[in-house]
Amino acid sequence: AVLATRGAVCTSQPLASEAGLRVLRAGGNAADACVAAAAALNATEPCMTGLGGDAFCLYWNAAEEKMYGLNGSGRSPAALDLYTARQAGSPNDPAGCMDSASVHCITVPGAAAAWAD
């Protein structure tokens, strides 16, 4: 267990929680601690999280009394245009949808960009 009296960070791994707490102790905010904990989870629990994945966040800014949402889901590759996507459509699908096994259906991981956002 990782204990603190003036803050809280909860993860599935104590070392990742400790990383978040260290950021809080150094003057960081909850968002900073979250990024630190997520980064530590890459090493402590790589089968469940990582830079090759996606990230999502709801963040309440108490000073502004405003909720922010962050969508760090994977994006389509920059070089994939509509023409190429349509050409990759399945001939057996009347709507022209791509086969889910197509290389064009793989997204570029969004976690690293979300951490920076």
Side-chain angles (χ1 to χ4, degrees):
V2 179
L3 303 174
T5 57
R6 299 190 55 179
V9 177
C10 181
T11 73
S12 56
Q13 298 292 322
L15 291 174
S17 296
E18 177 64 27
L21 284 173
R22 285 180 184 225
V23 168
L24 290 176
R25 288 184 191 122
N29 62 26
D32 299 329
C34 181
V35 171
L41 282 168
N42 282 276
T44 60
E45 196 172 39
C47 60
M48 298 302 289
T49 186
L51 285 171
D54 299 327
F56 307 93
C57 176
L58 286 176
Y59 178 76
W60 174 256
N61 185 319
E64 297 177 11
E65 294 189 359
K66 188 173 180 182
M67 174 76 72
Y68 290 91
L70 176 66
N71 180 357
S73 60
R75 306 293 195 266
S76 61
L80 180 61
D81 58 20
L82 183 57
Y83 175 79
T84 304
R86 285 189 173 150
Q87 293 301 312
S90 172
N92 299 327
D93 186 335
C97 294
M98 286 190 286
D99 181 349
S100 62
S102 167
V103 68
H104 299 297
C105 290
I106 298 171
T107 61
V108 175
W115 291 1
D117 290 343

